Amino acid sequence: MSDATLSATAVDELPLDAPPASDYVKRAIYIIVGFAIAGIFIMPIVWSVANSFKLPAETLSDPVRLIPRAFSLDNYRNLDTVGDGLWSFVGNSLYLAIGTVIVTLLVAVPAGYGFSKFRFPGQNLLFVVILATMMIPFQSILTPLFLILVKLRLANSLNGLVLIYVTFQLPFSIFMMRNAFDAVPKALIESARIDGASQWSLMRRITLPLALPGVATVAMFAFLNSWNEFLAALIFLSQEEKFSLPVMLVNVTTGIRGMIDWGALQAGITITMVPCILLFLTLQRYYVRGLVAGAVK
């Protein structure tokens, strides 16, 4: 067989859709850049977790080392000695976060459904006003919020702080729920109306199940924002037994001079991250679908 025949046979055996070498280079660059960006975000988490399991002395003497020389839970034990104990503050944070999620959903879901499926005078103006409240800096309305809580006799209480959190969650939540309900096909709703379904049945049996990604997104945002919130809890709570976990971490000190106990602080940060990571991993698929709900029609 001649060389020309061999070359023709080799060319014929090559896959017609084989990507050029430049595509492999671009893909490799994307992967490397992706790992680099992921490392930038992951390394602080890994560093905090690693320092939380070191001996308190090693946390101060060698904070850069990722692998502890000796595995220890002393930092977690020291953290539990602050105030009424670690789990008391965790309970306060859970109360605030879960309460914020429940009240936010109870208000945002029917409000989003109303803006999506009903037409009434001033609808667009009211919706714009609700969204405009997102532009108001929280720091600028601290005094009015405090006076309102005093009038309602909810100052220095977890219930009052839940109302504050809900107030700032509602504009975004209503916006998300309206988009989620807008994404429900109109043909389904019209078919249900022909069959005699009431408005309550439409929302409960048809539109709400299809809008669950939006509900999950709203719930996740409400939980994460209230769980990690610091400034409002610091300002509106004055009794230590009512502090949330982020406020409690500010008071993690040691020694007669009140130096920051960095080991216990890293242990507290690790505990704070656990619910957030678990919640995101559980609801991540609904989170992405909820964010894009109503974006394409």
Side-chain angles (χ1 to χ4, degrees):
M1 186 179 294
S2 63
D3 294 340
T5 304
L6 289 174
S7 300
T9 303
V11 171
D12 292 338
E13 291 177 353
L14 289 175
L16 297 178
D17 57 348
S22 59
D23 289 351
Y24 290 108
V25 175
K26 292 179 181 179
R27 185 178 301 177
I29 293 175
Y30 290 152
I31 294 175
I32 293 173
V33 173
F35 273 105
I37 295 175
I40 293 174
F41 288 96
I42 293 175
M43 279 307 297
I45 299 176
V46 175
W47 181 82
S48 296
V49 174
N51 277 277
S52 69
F53 290 108
K54 294 178 180 179
L55 291 169
E58 185 184 357
T59 304
L60 294 175
S61 61
D62 194 6
V64 180
R65 182 184 178 89
L66 290 180
I67 302 177
R69 291 188 176 89
F71 183 86
S72 173
L73 296 176
D74 288 348
N75 290 321
Y76 291 90
R77 297 189 185 98
N78 294 337
L79 184 66
D80 196 36
T81 61
V82 178
D84 292 338
L86 171 64
W87 298 112
S88 173
F89 300 108
V90 171
N92 291 341
S93 290
L94 284 175
Y95 182 88
L96 291 171
I98 296 175
T100 301
V101 170
I102 293 175
V103 179
T104 299
L105 290 178
L106 288 177
V107 178
V109 170
Y113 183 82
F115 278 112
S116 175
K117 304 304 178 185
F118 294 100
R119 297 294 178 264
F120 51 88
Q123 177 185 15
N124 293 331
L125 177 61
L126 178 59
F127 189 70
V128 170
V129 170
I130 292 175
L131 294 184
T133 59
M134 296 169 54
M135 306 177 188
I136 301 176
F138 168 71
Q139 295 83 356
S140 65
I141 56 175
L142 287 176
T143 301
L145 288 176
F146 177 77
L147 294 177
I148 291 174
L149 290 181
V150 171
K151 291 293 184 179
L152 296 176
R153 297 183 180 180
L154 292 174
N156 189 33
S157 70
L158 296 179
N159 292 330
L161 194 56
V162 167
L163 293 180
I164 297 297
Y165 289 167
V166 171
T167 301
F168 284 94
Q169 289 297 321
L170 281 180
F172 172 79
S173 301
I174 293 174
F175 172 75
M176 287 296 304
M177 290 311 306
R178 191 201 69 163
N179 287 351
F181 285 122
D182 281 344
V184 177
K186 293 182 179 180
L188 291 176
I189 298 176
E190 293 173 356
S191 300
R193 285 175 177 169
I194 293 175
D195 292 337
S198 63
Q199 286 293 344
W200 170 248
S201 298
L202 281 174
M203 186 182 74
R204 183 171 62 90
R205 296 183 178 182
I206 298 176
T207 57
L208 187 58
L210 295 176
L212 282 181
V215 175
T217 302
V218 169
M220 182 184 297
F221 267 95
F223 184 92
L224 296 181
N225 289 337
S226 54
W227 174 266
N228 294 314
E229 204 283 329
F230 170 75
L231 183 58
L234 179 66
I235 293 174
F236 293 111
L237 298 177
S238 57
Q239 295 178 337
E240 185 178 282
E241 62 270 16
K242 297 180 180 179
F243 284 171
S244 61
L245 190 57
V247 178
M248 169 263 199
L249 294 179
V250 178
N251 300 318
V252 177
T253 58
T254 184
I256 58 175
R257 298 183 180 180
M259 297 178 59
I260 298 176
D261 189 343
W262 292 106
L265 182 60
Q266 298 303 323
I269 293 173
T270 301
I271 293 175
T272 303
M273 290 188 297
V274 170
C276 301
I277 294 174
L278 293 178
L279 182 65
F280 180 79
L281 292 177
T282 304
L283 301 177
Q284 60 176 335
R285 60 174 180 171
Y286 301 107
Y287 172 74
V288 176
R289 290 167 55 190
L291 285 179
V292 301
V296 180
K297 297 183 181 178

